[in-house]
């Protein structure tokens, strides 16, 4: 018999027929143990409806794998099988991990610079709109998408969902002990579609904007839901777990001990250790991201110059997924200009963090990207792609701020280095000459002037470094040496950057 094959970091699936009586979602337990030589990986199984039970496994190493199942029902217990994991497909680098403390990389070591966007309820829209979303994403440079498992009830997002996430009973009420496999199948297929495009799916497990009762499931039902989600989706390499959008708005029904338990359920049922985060609503209500079960910081805050503060406070990668959105709706968080959003992306990147995009332009049919996906109408996304391309040219370990303490002048302008590349972003400042942060030796350097809005890169003019003004210490006047071996002449307008590399 020919052994089946699955490429490394793709999904191997085994399915089995089992009992349908009672409630198989709760009554039947299934797990599989995948083994390669002396290494064993436990993988939870799940019920997919109509008597079908499945286990999914993402091989992280080439070679032969065998498996056996364990279940509390005879029909599913002791099943065995094997397959061969082949080399990864071209362009597949594995799941994203934390790397170099404040940054990310794929499992094969390829750097991952997060440039995300938000489409909360795109998988709950009509299929034609979902197709538009995927086509739009192909034109962008986004590599992460924030998306909710549950539909959303909120201004600009009041239409009925494509599928109920849970089945309804004979009384017409939702039975929160019976997930709707059709809904989950559709959701995971869209996660897979994003993965084929090189886009990470940042899966939001809970959110407070609800009219279906999903927010009011019991504690036990919440735990079963998180476990079911992990069993179905963990084998997809592009999964990130986001416990909540605005967890602090749910504390009245989901107290803090439950959030910690959700994290632990993911740890117990996701054998691949996908990234785990949690997102706040109130800017002053950050979760304690120092806790070991949180892999990276996910926050909502418009004051992006605090990025260095968050890095120091938590010691983990910082992803500001909501620095406010480009748009014109009435809510202040959704009506900043494209120029301002791009400005905030640059500040965050040069202070060692990562940023998320959203677009909220008023539409008579409420077809707004941030809520439903579809089409983009703004201008920020193009400039965000330009920033990603620039940074990836030199990405080695992750751009680190020139001064992590953000002292003068780096508390005002923003600069970062990765290897022998330095990028300085002036933002709202418009100097005609600049020397701080430039090399102190007189070696040969290439300096580029970057226009962050017009998306141009051209050689900058190198000029002699100016002499600093003398400083006074007590009664003694001290002459200071120049900050650098040379300076750069600038055109004196805002939103420019310079890049310095060895010639």
């Amino acid at each position: 018999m020919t052994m089946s094959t699955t490429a490394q970091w793709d999904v191997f699936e085994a399915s089995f027929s089992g009992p349908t009586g009672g409630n198989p979602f709760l009554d039947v337990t299934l797990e599989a143990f995948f083994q390669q030589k002396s290494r064993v990986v436990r993988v939870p199984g799940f019920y997919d409806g109509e008597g079908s039970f499945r286990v999914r496994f993402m091989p992280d190493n080439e070679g032969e794998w065998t498996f056996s199942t364990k279940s509390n029902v005879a029909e599913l217990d002791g099943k065995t099988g094997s397959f061969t994991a082949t080399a990864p497909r071209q362009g597949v680098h594995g799941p994203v991990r934390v790397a170099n403390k404040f940054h990310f990389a794929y499992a094969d070591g390829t750097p991952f610079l997060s440039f995300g966007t938000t489409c909360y309820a795109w998988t709950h829209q009509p299929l034609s709109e979902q197709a538009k979303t995927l086509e739009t994403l192909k034109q962008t440079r986004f590599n992460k998408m924030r998306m909710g498992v549950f539909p959303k009830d909120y201004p600009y997002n009041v239409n009925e969902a494509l599928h109920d996430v849970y089945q309804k009973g004979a009384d017409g009420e939702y039975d929160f002990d019976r997930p709707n496999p059709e809904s989950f199948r559709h959701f995971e297929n869209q996660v897979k579609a994003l993965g084929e495009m090189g886009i990470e799916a940042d899966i939001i497990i809970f959110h407070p904007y609800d009219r279906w009762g999903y927010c009011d499931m019991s504690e036990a039902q919440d735990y079963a839901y998180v476990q079911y989600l992990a069993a179905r989706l963990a084998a997809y390499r592009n999964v990130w777990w986001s416990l909540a959008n605005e967890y602090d708005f749910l504390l009245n029904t989901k107290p803090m001990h439950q959030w910690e338990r959700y994290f632990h359920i993911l740890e117990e049922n996701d054998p691949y250790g996908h990234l785990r985060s949690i997102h706040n609503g109130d800017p002053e209500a950050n979760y304690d991201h120092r806790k070991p079960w949180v892999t990276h910081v996910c926050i909502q805050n418009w004051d992006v110059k605090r990025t260095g503060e968050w890095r120091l406070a938590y010691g983990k990668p910082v992803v500001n997924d909501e620095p406010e959105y480009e748009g014109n709706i009435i809510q202040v968080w959704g009506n900043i200009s494209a120029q301002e959003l791009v400005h905030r992306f640059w500040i965050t990147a040069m202070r060692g963090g990562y940023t998320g995009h959203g677009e909220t332009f008023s539409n008579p049919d409420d077809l707004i990207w941030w809520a439903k996906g579809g089409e983009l109408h703004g201008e920020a996304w193009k400039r965000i792609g330009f920033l990603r391309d620039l940074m990836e040219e030199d990405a080695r370990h992750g751009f680190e701020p020139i001064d992590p303490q953000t002292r003068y002048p780096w508390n005002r302008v923003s600069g970062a280095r990765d290897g022998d590349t330095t990028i300085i972003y002036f933002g709202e400042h418009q100097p005609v000459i600049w020397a701080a942060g430039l090399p102190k030796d007189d070696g040969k350097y290439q300096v580029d002037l970057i226009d962050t809005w017009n998306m141009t890169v051209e050689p900058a003019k190198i000029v002699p470094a100016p002499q600093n003004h003398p400083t006074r210490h007590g009664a003694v006047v001290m002459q200071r040496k120049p900050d650098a071996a040379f300076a750069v002449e600038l055109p004196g307008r805002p939103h420019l950057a310079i890049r310095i590399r060895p010639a």
Side-chain angles (χ1 to χ4, degrees):
M1 185 176 80
T2 303
M3 181 177 290
S4 66
T5 62
T6 299
Q8 183 177 345
W9 297 314
D10 281 357
V11 178
F12 170 82
E13 179 176 287
S15 61
F16 313 97
S17 297
T20 59
N23 184 350
F25 293 101
L26 295 181
D27 300 338
V28 178
T29 62
L30 173 64
E31 57 189 348
F33 296 87
F34 286 79
Q35 184 165 357
Q36 187 179 61
K37 298 182 179 178
S38 61
R39 181 180 172 213
V40 179
V41 181
R42 174 193 170 271
V43 175
F46 63 94
Y47 182 53
D48 199 28
E50 299 178 339
S52 180
F53 292 80
R54 304 182 190 278
V55 290
R56 290 175 177 157
F57 178 64
M58 179 186 68
D60 59 2
N61 196 47
E62 295 180 47
E64 184 176 348
W65 290 85
T66 60
F67 71 88
S68 60
T69 65
K70 183 178 179 181
S71 176
N72 64 343
V73 297
E75 300 101 301
L76 301 172
D77 191 50
K79 300 289 186 181
T80 61
S82 62
F83 73 97
T84 298
T86 58
R89 291 181 292 128
Q90 184 175 1
V92 172
H93 302 287
V96 174
R97 311 284 192 220
V98 171
N100 304 313
K101 188 173 182 178
F102 292 111
H103 303 285
F104 302 104
Y106 292 101
D108 70 355
T110 303
F112 177 84
L113 306 184
S114 179
F115 285 87
T117 190
T118 294
C119 297
Y120 283 125
W122 79 278
T123 65
H124 298 285
Q125 306 311 310
L127 293 177
S128 59
E129 286 300 307
Q130 296 186 43
K132 284 183 186 177
T133 303
L134 293 172
E135 285 302 310
T136 299
L137 286 169
K138 292 177 182 177
Q139 312 306 315
T140 74
R141 294 285 285 134
F142 295 125
N143 57 11
K144 183 171 79 74
M145 163 85 85
R146 295 176 70 222
M147 51 192 283
V149 179
F150 291 132
K152 192 170 182 178
D153 182 48
Y154 194 75
Y156 321 110
N157 201 143
V158 296
N159 59 301
E160 286 301 319
L162 182 65
H163 300 113
D164 294 322
V165 181
Y166 281 81
Q167 300 176 49
K168 290 183 178 179
D171 59 0
E173 299 296 319
Y174 288 109
D175 182 348
F176 295 120
D177 291 322
R178 292 180 181 270
N180 178 9
E182 183 181 15
S183 175
F184 283 90
R185 282 186 215 116
H186 176 72
F187 186 84
E188 66 201 16
N189 283 337
Q190 297 297 52
V191 168
K192 182 179 180 180
L194 292 177
E196 293 302 304
M197 297 167 61
I199 298 173
E200 303 296 300
D202 199 353
I203 296 171
I204 298 168
I205 298 177
F206 295 101
H207 68 73
Y209 306 108
D210 172 52
R211 67 171 182 268
W212 299 271
Y214 302 132
C215 284
D216 298 318
M217 295 191 300
S218 70
E219 185 171 346
Q221 288 167 338
D222 277 357
Y223 295 158
Y225 157 62
V226 176
Q227 183 172 346
Y228 187 73
L229 199 62
R232 290 199 72 119
L233 285 158
Y236 293 96
R237 64 181 175 276
N238 62 318
V239 162
W240 296 28
W241 302 117
S242 179
L243 265 290
N245 179 59
E246 302 176 331
Y247 86 97
D248 47 313
F249 297 165
L250 283 162
L251 288 173
N252 60 326
T253 58
K254 303 182 192 305
M256 194 60 76
H257 78 270
Q258 289 187 214
W259 295 105
E260 296 186 0
R261 181 61 190 142
Y262 304 148
F263 274 109
H264 297 327
I265 291 171
L266 292 175
E267 289 180 306
E268 294 162 7
N269 292 279
D270 173 5
Y272 320 103
H274 287 295
L275 295 170
R276 298 179 300 273
S277 70
I278 188 168
H279 172 270
N280 59 290
D282 186 326
E284 301 306 318
N286 287 358
Y287 188 82
D288 184 0
H289 302 286
R290 297 171 301 176
K291 293 180 177 180
W293 45 83
V294 183
T295 60
H296 64 284
V297 179
C298 177
I299 58 171
Q300 170 177 189
N301 201 302
W302 62 271
D303 190 359
V304 295
K305 286 191 175 180
R306 294 179 62 187
T307 300
E309 170 191 328
W310 301 318
R311 281 169 47 109
L312 289 172
Y314 301 116
K316 295 177 181 179
V318 173
V319 183
N320 189 343
D321 272 314
E322 287 194 49
E324 297 183 331
Y325 300 132
E326 175 192 5
N328 60 8
I329 60 175
I330 192 170
Q331 290 85 355
V332 293
W333 48 258
N335 56 30
I336 67 172
S337 68
Q339 291 90 339
E340 180 62 23
L341 182 57
V342 172
H343 173 58
R344 295 181 190 185
F345 261 80
W346 272 87
I347 290 174
T348 304
M350 294 301 102
R351 292 177 183 236
Y354 300 91
T355 323
H357 160 274
E359 193 180 281
T360 47
F361 284 100
S362 182
N363 179 281
D365 297 315
D366 286 344
L367 297 177
I368 299 178
W369 177 263
W370 141 93
K372 300 177 180 178
E375 298 176 333
L376 287 163
H377 302 282
E379 294 294 330
W381 65 272
K382 303 170 191 173
R383 281 81 187 176
I384 292 166
F386 173 70
L387 171 59
R388 177 183 169 187
D389 290 341
L390 279 172
M391 293 183 68
E392 287 188 346
E393 280 186 40
D394 299 288
R396 300 292 183 273
H397 308 290
F399 279 87
E400 286 291 304
I402 290 176
D403 182 354
Q405 303 291 335
T406 59
R407 294 164 295 195
Y408 180 86
W410 309 108
N411 57 346
R412 303 188 185 191
V413 300
S414 307
R417 296 190 176 102
D418 189 355
D420 53 12
T421 296
T422 298
I423 302 178
I424 298 171
Y425 174 60
F426 302 108
E428 67 272 29
H429 299 276
Q430 45 187 6
V432 295
I433 191 170
W434 188 264
L438 272 58
K440 295 185 180 296
D441 62 81
D442 57 2
K444 294 187 178 297
Y445 294 94
Q446 174 189 337
V447 183
D448 296 313
L449 175 65
I450 301 168
D451 186 319
T452 66
W453 182 254
N454 292 312
M455 299 183 285
T456 59
V457 180
E458 58 185 283
K461 184 177 180 181
I462 295 175
V463 297
Q467 294 293 320
N468 278 314
H469 295 297
T471 60
R472 181 174 294 277
H473 180 71
V476 181
V477 175
M478 300 180 295
Q479 296 295 325
R480 294 176 58 196
K481 294 181 179 179
D483 286 334
F486 59 89
V488 176
E489 188 174 279
L490 298 167
R493 63 178 188 269
H495 302 133
L496 299 178
I498 55 174
R499 178 177 60 189
I500 305 96
R501 297 184 285 193

